[in-house]
Amino acid sequence: MPLSQRAEPYPHWTYTHPATGDQLLLVPERGGLVTGWSSAGRERLYFDAARFADPALSVRGGIPVLFPICGGLPDHPLPQHGFARDRPWSLALLEDGEGCGCSCATTPAPWPCFPIPSA
């Protein structure tokens, strides 16, 4: 099965490429965060699992989705690095099985600090 849900070392999904065996570890419930990427049998990402275990701490490492901004805006209510990394995402296998996709459900005016409608 190319996409499987796992509980250890933390709740995540693992996508395994059917031909190469390369793997992605994803946590859609925590902003679509990629927490691991192994290619040719070697881990390619830094990820601090101890910090990740405490939701009150900022995540170090992995590949976060930073939208609509990377960083922060002075005197603006938009959170540092935007809001996408704090939203739950959904995960689905691509039709050809050659990957998986994440999407974040929104509403017409999703957040007061970013009142731009989404399609």
Side-chain angles (χ1 to χ4, degrees):
M1 185 68 115
L3 190 59
S4 58
Q5 194 168 19
R6 311 254 171 104
E8 298 296 329
Y10 46 83
H12 70 280
W13 289 83
T14 298
Y15 168 76
T16 304
H17 190 276
T20 65
D22 292 355
Q23 290 190 325
L24 286 176
L25 278 60
L26 304 113
V27 185
E29 301 82 7
R30 298 266 305 263
L33 180 68
V34 176
T35 59
W37 170 38
S38 63
S39 175
R42 191 170 141 218
E43 181 58 43
R44 307 292 177 165
L45 295 180
Y46 167 79
F47 179 68
D48 188 333
R51 285 187 67 89
F52 179 76
D54 185 347
L57 298 175
S58 60
V59 176
R60 301 282 187 244
I63 304 173
V65 178
L66 306 180
F67 178 83
I69 188 170
C70 180
L73 293 173
D75 303 319
H76 193 279
L78 190 63
Q80 172 126 349
H81 302 315
F83 49 77
R85 69 187 188 137
D86 297 324
R87 306 278 307 163
W89 289 62
S90 61
L91 188 62
L93 193 60
L94 298 181
E95 287 184 26
D96 63 5
E98 294 289 318
C100 59
C102 286
S103 61
C104 182
T106 61
T107 60
W111 301 274
C113 60
F114 188 72
I116 298 172
S118 59

